Amino acid sequence: MKIINVVCAQGKTGFFFDDQKAIKAGAGHDGAFYIGQPMTEGFTAVRQAGESISVLFILENGAVAHGDCAAVQYSGAAGRDPLFLAKDFIPLIEKEIAPMYIGREITSFRELADLVDKTKSPSTGKIYHTAIRYGVTQACLDAVAKSKCKLMAQVVAEEYGTAVSDTMIPIFTQSGDDRYVNADKMIMKGAQVLPHALFNHVEEKTGLKGEKIEAYIEWLRNRILQFKPYESYQPVIHIDVYGTLGLVFNNDFARIADYIAGLEKIAAPFALRVEGPVDMGEKEAQIEGLRIIREELEKRGSKAEIVADEWCNTLEDIQDFTRRKAGHMIQIKTPDLGGINNSIEAVIFCKENHIGAYLGGTCNETNRSAEVCAHVAMATSPVQYLAKPGMGVDEGYMLIFNEMQRILALKNVL
């Protein structure tokens, strides 16, 4: 079966593009808006609407395979590709990407994915924007699955030598700034990992001594115990602090480890994960910082885990962080890796090297990218998979919960 045409459609994402540099510099809130001037190139406001591009492959039998190009909320930050706007990239896809696939026989996913993921643009001499590679490879996986009348998860499992899971992957839900009401929703729905909580500002959210996080963890622990939906409910508490602990404790890794160990005691009887305790400003320093914090926690006998995120954007980055044990878990932020083939390989690499694999992404994705990644999760079995898109627990949790349930229902039928 061949691909006979490639069509693009402009779309919206489930959240926004946020200028992380401006937010960290103190941009204030006014409702959903941020007040202040953007500081990252390409932004016209500190917060602006997220955009996507659907890439649709028209197949020889009339079927349509598709994927969505989308970029992370904090585009342009920590070494990431720049802002992704549909008007800028649809012409590029139509001119350079479509000819790679029109008329091509559908073979394996890995072969089709490599066409866009490994090719340099003739107009720039660089590999394509991560968002383009992300969406086009989703369409490639869907095309192979449709040509074989199989689930996308089954295609991944066959090509990478894995097995489609017999159970759902634990879902990590994210609250956004509404960390109290959304935490209630998570508990009500029985989310297995929660709540993210968005501690991205020292004075407003973390506290000058970390006291605001401590108070929130205590509240959340008590809330879970009070309202747990069934007796054996034992979620993991996973918070993202966006490097603010480094600011509070002046990047003193021993003090940061002491603080996290203290949070662990407050969170008990629930396990604790802390994502992004520091942001050291560049990759090598970030690796070393997380490696030392992990060692300091282990010296204290702490079971709390730290999660790598910033400066860990590509498959190569993930491999480097993993080899150095820079954290207990790595977030595989799917749009940042470009082709979803790289996300698949990243999960497998983490598991082979005994580092927790967190198949993540961003609130700024689409329903389609979330569903395709659910197939990747079910085929590779990471420790947890992010509820996306959207900053909350309603849309994203529903989308990936339902898609994983469909995979379970069909895996032994197709």
Side-chain angles (χ1 to χ4, degrees):
M1 189 183 299
K2 291 183 179 180
I3 300 165
I4 62 171
N5 201 4
V6 176
V7 177
C8 291
Q10 182 174 344
K12 296 292 186 182
T13 60
F15 201 64
F16 304 95
F17 291 124
D18 284 347
D19 183 348
Q20 188 184 74
K21 188 174 182 180
I23 292 169
K24 285 189 173 182
H29 270 296
D30 183 354
F33 294 93
Y34 277 102
I35 303 303
Q37 294 300 311
M39 299 175 67
T40 299
E41 185 177 355
F43 279 80
T44 55
V46 178
R47 167 169 285 175
Q48 58 192 82
E51 300 185 14
S52 65
I53 300 171
S54 284
V55 177
L56 303 106
F57 287 179
I58 313 302
L59 309 187
E60 203 169 14
N61 67 351
V64 178
H66 77 286
D68 279 357
C69 305
V72 296
Q73 173 189 4
Y74 297 117
S75 291
R80 296 186 174 100
D81 275 354
L83 201 64
F84 184 76
L85 302 178
K87 67 178 178 61
D88 295 332
F89 289 100
I90 285 178
L92 179 66
I93 294 171
E94 292 175 339
K95 180 181 178 182
E96 298 185 13
I97 306 297
M100 295 181 191
Y101 291 97
I102 294 174
R104 182 169 290 272
E105 192 74 31
I106 298 172
T107 52
S108 71
F109 163 65
R110 298 174 86 161
E111 183 177 337
L112 291 178
D114 278 352
L115 287 175
V116 66
D117 196 55
K118 303 292 193 292
T119 301
K120 292 183 178 179
S121 166
S123 59
T124 66
K126 300 178 181 178
I127 60 173
Y128 290 102
H129 194 291
T130 49
I132 290 177
R133 293 184 282 131
Y134 188 46
V136 173
T137 54
Q138 292 168 38
C140 292
L141 179 57
D142 192 21
V144 174
K146 283 184 164 65
S147 72
K148 294 185 173 184
C149 298
K150 292 185 175 181
L151 297 171
M152 289 182 280
Q154 292 172 324
V155 172
V156 173
E158 286 179 3
E159 294 197 21
Y160 289 87
T162 63
V164 179
S165 177
D166 290 325
T167 58
M168 286 181 56
I169 306 306
I171 300 173
F172 173 35
T173 46
Q174 50 186 349
S175 67
D177 279 321
D178 202 354
R179 62 186 61 82
Y180 293 95
V181 171
N182 279 332
D184 282 353
K185 294 179 182 180
M186 295 170 189
I187 296 166
M188 196 179 303
K189 294 188 179 190
Q192 292 165 293
V193 188
L194 76 169
H196 186 269
L198 196 69
F199 292 107
N200 63 352
H201 192 281
V202 171
E203 291 83 357
E204 291 181 7
K205 300 174 185 178
T206 303
L208 295 176
K209 297 181 180 179
E211 72 279 1
K212 292 185 178 182
I213 292 180
E214 291 174 334
Y216 179 78
I217 295 294
E218 183 176 9
W219 173 86
L220 180 61
R221 171 199 179 272
N222 292 337
R223 201 72 169 171
I224 296 168
L225 291 172
Q226 181 180 1
F227 289 105
K228 56 186 177 180
Y230 49 89
E231 191 56 36
S232 61
Y233 183 54
Q234 191 75 14
V236 173
I237 295 176
H238 179 143
I239 60 170
D240 191 346
V241 300
Y242 291 84
T244 57
L245 298 187
L247 298 175
V248 169
F249 298 105
N250 197 30
N251 288 332
D252 184 325
F253 303 138
R255 290 176 67 200
I256 291 170
D258 285 337
Y259 176 79
I260 293 173
L263 287 183
E264 179 188 19
K265 292 178 181 177
I266 297 171
F270 306 109
L272 177 71
R273 293 186 186 127
V274 177
E275 184 173 342
V278 295
D279 184 348
M280 302 301 295
E282 58 93 21
K283 176 181 169 180
E284 182 58 32
Q286 187 75 356
I287 289 174
E288 188 64 6
L290 295 186
R291 183 191 68 78
I292 294 172
I293 294 170
R294 173 176 168 158
E295 285 187 355
E296 292 288 338
L297 284 168
E298 290 172 350
K299 285 179 186 176
R300 289 158 176 75
S302 172
K303 301 294 185 183
E305 296 180 324
I306 56 170
V307 183
D309 178 6
E310 300 299 334
W311 302 103
C312 188
N313 301 330
T314 66
L315 175 58
E316 181 182 359
D317 291 341
I318 289 166
Q319 291 169 339
D320 290 343
F321 274 70
T322 298
R323 291 187 185 102
R324 299 269 294 277
K325 297 192 182 303
H328 301 87
M329 174 179 281
I330 308 290
Q331 179 178 183
I332 298 161
K333 190 165 277 188
T334 52
D336 277 341
L337 272 72
I340 57 169
N341 48 310
N342 298 316
S343 292
I344 294 165
E345 292 182 21
V347 175
I348 293 170
F349 186 87
C350 287
K351 292 175 68 176
E352 289 175 345
N353 288 274
H354 311 293
I355 290 284
Y358 156 28
L359 189 66
T362 173
C363 53
N364 194 48
E365 293 196 48
T366 72
N367 59 314
R368 184 57 179 170
S369 63
E371 290 168 349
V372 175
C373 288
H375 285 260
V376 172
M378 290 294 286
T380 58
S381 296
V383 174
Q384 63 190 43
Y385 174 45
L386 180 67
K388 59 185 184 180
M391 187 63 87
V393 70
D394 298 319
E395 305 89 350
Y397 186 88
M398 174 193 68
L399 284 166
I400 68 170
F401 182 98
N402 291 355
E403 188 67 12
M404 286 196 282
Q405 285 290 344
R406 286 188 283 265
I407 294 166
L408 289 174
L410 291 170
K411 68 185 288 283
N412 295 320
V413 176
L414 295 178

